[in-house]
Amino acid sequence: MASKFRVAAWVVVGAITGIMATLQVQALARNTASPLPLEELQQFAAVYGLIKADYFEPVEGKKLIENAINGMVNNLDPHSEYLDKKAFKDFKESTSGKFVGVGIEITAEDGLVKVVSPIEGSPAARAGIHAGDLITRIDHTAVKGLSLSDAVKLMRGKPGTKVTLTVLRKAENRTLTFTVTRELIQVQSVKGRMIAPGYGWIRITQFQSDTLSSFVHKIDALYKEDPNMKGLVLDLRNDPGGLLESAVGVASVFLPDDAVIVSTKGQMPEANATYRNTPSDYLSRAGDNPLDTLPAGVKTVKLVVLINGGSASASEIVTGALQDYKRAVVMGTLSFGKGSVQTVLPLGPDTALKLTTARYYTPNGQSIQGKGITPNYEVDPLESGDPYAALRMREIDYKNQIGTGSEAADSSRVENDVRKQEEARRLLEAELQKDPNKLPKLPEYGSKEDWQLTQAMNYLEGKPVITAKHPANTAKAKTPAASAAASGPKTDASGATKNP
């Protein structure tokens, strides 16, 4: 019997090898950069055949191939992934701002799924799930080892169905269980209001297909409420990114016509591009330009951009452009540092490859990959400091992040910084085990208790800004005059988060 299985296995190997040889010829005919590695592909075919023949139970060939594709793609970098039928559908939903799920933004941490933040008004928020919660189990499935896409699949479903989430809340050193009813989530990516006479606050939570029109509508509404706007705060804290064209459009709101917003560099000719303040670069289809309705004052109004370690990708594009042109002062903490662009390449009607195709660069030619945007004013989230700093994961912490493109000069420094961060995280987690209530809760963005927003208002009103506290020094006040000014010299730009 075993010999029959092995004969069958080698028949499969022979068939696949023949296919590989055909692909080799086709690849050469298309003048690809390098020929397919035929010897390694033959080895892959041999492994496939042996699993089909010798594994203790039958395994579907489709499952084996999909697993192989996932392994090949997932090992490239943290943001490339194979999108099967369900994942591709979910991806399209996430960029439209509508999906059925529990309503949380998540990222990976220590093999588990970490809640970046519950979406306001969502089932998860109403159930009491908090930012920082680690999801350890979804219904009866352990999360350890699951990809983010697989975790999202388990949390998505039909409206009205229930899912049980088991979470570890480190701040309280306990495990909690939540049963959440799935519903259609309509993510409102833009919100804002006047926070004082003459001063507005606009927050973007994610760059979606309708973000630019919503952003312009909100600005128009604020100027109608107060035509003599003196200052504006653009809040991009914990904004994980989104669509590149939306980011280009938002930056264009504040910058001159034809100004360079961002450039990209990659292997493909089409990956080398420059995006400017021009309708063809920020509108997905021809039609009315939403920027035509903007009040003239928005081009010169005093502007502060708030960022933190959760500000990634598209939000870094906007921040980098406004900082490079000295159009805005950037305030908060160092951003996430995701300076790579993902392009969705369809593999058929239902599947696609989300592949990292380029690094992006600010107008001054600076790569943000692994570095992030450094604020002009470093301001902690609390007057007492940033108690959660050691627990935050940034792009540089990923072992397979793609680097800046000039790693040789700074690799030792980067490795040292990562080691220090890991040690600080370990020490803080040990302290939390002893005292679960050690860390205070952070204020809601836009509230009266929002310390970073208070400092942004201080800057806009010409008052001293209290900058970040560090172990080696105490908080110190900077006046706008004493501080350095902003420093100078369909593609997806999403960050490392997902919405289930």
Side-chain angles (χ1 to χ4, degrees):
M1 181 65 71
S3 62
K4 289 182 180 179
F5 281 147
R6 294 195 181 281
V7 169
W10 287 113
V11 169
V12 171
V13 171
I16 294 179
T17 302
I19 293 171
M20 298 305 179
T22 303
L23 290 174
Q24 176 89 346
V25 173
Q26 292 175 346
L28 291 172
R30 289 196 301 269
N31 294 317
T32 55
S34 60
L36 293 171
L38 188 56
E39 183 177 340
E40 286 76 12
L41 290 172
Q42 288 173 333
Q43 189 175 39
F44 168 79
V47 171
Y48 175 93
L50 291 171
I51 292 174
K52 289 289 289 182
D54 288 8
Y55 195 62
F56 79 99
E57 64 181 13
V59 184
E60 288 186 8
K62 180 180 178 181
K63 177 178 174 59
L64 287 174
I65 296 297
E66 286 194 344
N67 287 346
I69 293 173
N70 276 316
M72 179 167 54
V73 177
N74 291 344
N75 283 312
L76 292 174
D77 64 80
H79 311 297
S80 294
E81 62 178 314
Y82 168 68
L83 303 175
D84 61 15
K85 184 176 181 179
K86 180 68 165 57
F88 193 24
K89 177 176 177 290
D90 292 343
F91 174 82
K92 289 186 284 188
E93 286 178 349
S94 68
T95 57
S96 71
K98 297 178 182 179
F99 60 92
V100 175
V102 299
I104 52 176
E105 295 174 359
I106 61 173
T107 188
E109 183 173 295
D110 298 330
L112 300 175
V113 171
K114 181 179 180 179
V115 178
V116 175
S117 64
I119 295 171
E120 295 174 19
S122 69
R126 296 196 300 269
I129 293 175
H130 294 174
D133 285 348
L134 291 173
I135 300 175
T136 59
R137 188 172 292 273
I138 303 170
D139 285 330
H140 301 294
T141 303
V143 170
K144 189 78 171 178
L146 287 181
S147 67
L148 280 179
S149 294
D150 288 338
V152 169
K153 288 178 190 176
L154 292 174
M155 284 185 273
R156 296 270 178 102
K158 295 181 180 180
T161 59
K162 296 182 183 296
V163 59
T164 299
L165 303 178
T166 304
V167 307
L168 172 63
R169 186 165 292 169
K170 286 187 176 182
E172 300 175 8
N173 194 28
R174 60 177 177 146
T175 297
L176 303 167
T177 301
F178 300 91
T179 299
V180 185
T181 301
R182 300 178 179 97
E183 63 183 50
L184 179 64
I185 308 296
Q186 174 65 61
V187 180
Q188 299 294 332
S189 64
V190 179
K191 66 177 183 179
R193 67 177 191 279
M194 299 299 297
I195 52 176
Y199 297 95
W201 169 76
I202 300 183
R203 173 161 170 74
I204 300 178
T205 58
Q206 189 174 1
F207 288 87
Q208 301 166 351
S209 57
D210 63 348
T211 294
L212 179 57
S213 59
S214 298
F215 186 70
V216 170
H217 178 76
K218 182 58 68 176
I219 286 180
D220 286 339
L222 293 180
Y223 267 88
K224 285 178 182 177
E225 187 174 343
D226 191 340
N228 300 312
M229 186 87 70
K230 299 176 184 177
L232 187 65
V233 178
L234 174 57
D235 191 345
L236 300 179
R237 289 173 294 178
N238 280 357
D239 181 332
L243 296 178
L244 177 58
E245 62 189 24
S246 292
V248 172
V250 168
S252 297
V253 166
F254 302 102
L255 294 174
D257 290 346
D258 206 43
V260 173
I261 307 298
V262 66
S263 60
T264 61
K265 297 178 184 178
Q267 181 178 208
M268 301 183 299
E270 55 268 35
N272 296 281
T274 299
Y275 296 85
R276 299 175 177 271
N277 178 2
T278 181
S280 61
D281 283 350
Y282 57 74
L283 296 179
S284 57
R285 56 183 179 275
D288 294 337
N289 184 357
L291 270 61
D292 290 342
T293 68
L294 285 169
V298 78
K299 294 292 185 183
T300 56
V301 68
K302 201 170 183 180
L303 184 63
V304 172
V305 180
L306 287 178
I307 60 170
N308 65 5
S311 305
S313 201
S315 55
E316 291 174 296
I317 289 174
V318 174
T319 305
L322 296 176
Q323 188 181 59
D324 276 7
Y325 283 103
K326 301 184 180 180
R327 176 62 188 88
V329 159
V330 179
M331 193 174 293
T333 57
L334 185 67
S335 65
F336 187 81
K338 180 184 176 293
S340 62
V341 178
Q342 284 67 49
T343 301
V344 178
L345 307 168
L347 300 174
D350 300 322
T351 61
L353 186 64
K354 190 173 80 166
L355 190 66
T356 298
T357 53
R359 292 185 181 90
Y360 70 72
Y361 298 81
T362 69
N364 281 354
Q366 298 298 311
S367 170
I368 299 166
Q369 175 62 26
K371 297 178 179 179
I373 300 285
T374 300
N376 304 109
Y377 289 82
E378 187 177 352
V379 176
D380 286 326
L382 297 174
E383 184 177 5
S384 57
D386 186 358
Y388 293 89
L391 297 178
R392 290 196 178 94
M393 186 173 183
R394 298 177 60 251
E395 179 78 9
I396 195 66
D397 295 318
Y398 287 112
K399 289 184 169 46
N400 61 335
Q401 62 99 5
I402 64 174
T404 63
S406 56
E407 292 82 10
D410 58 7
S411 60
S412 59
R413 179 189 60 79
V414 168
E415 289 175 5
N416 187 49
D417 289 347
V418 171
R419 281 196 298 270
K420 287 181 179 179
Q421 178 72 9
E422 289 176 348
E423 177 64 14
R425 185 184 297 121
R426 186 188 65 78
L427 291 174
L428 182 54
E429 288 177 348
E431 290 180 21
L432 288 174
Q433 290 288 333
K434 300 175 184 176
D435 181 9
N437 299 316
K438 178 181 177 63
L439 301 184
K441 290 184 178 180
L442 296 180
E444 180 183 351
Y445 292 151
S447 68
K448 292 181 179 179
E449 295 76 30
D450 188 341
W451 177 252
Q452 290 172 323
L453 180 57
T454 298
Q455 300 314 306
M457 278 296 297
N458 284 348
Y459 172 83
L460 292 174
E461 294 176 331
K463 300 176 182 178
V465 174
I466 300 177
T467 54
K469 287 185 175 180
H470 297 285
N473 60 6
T474 57
K476 50 188 177 182
K478 285 185 180 181
T479 62
S483 173
S487 63
K490 172 173 170 182
T491 298
D492 169 58
S494 60
T497 63
K498 295 179 180 291
N499 292 324

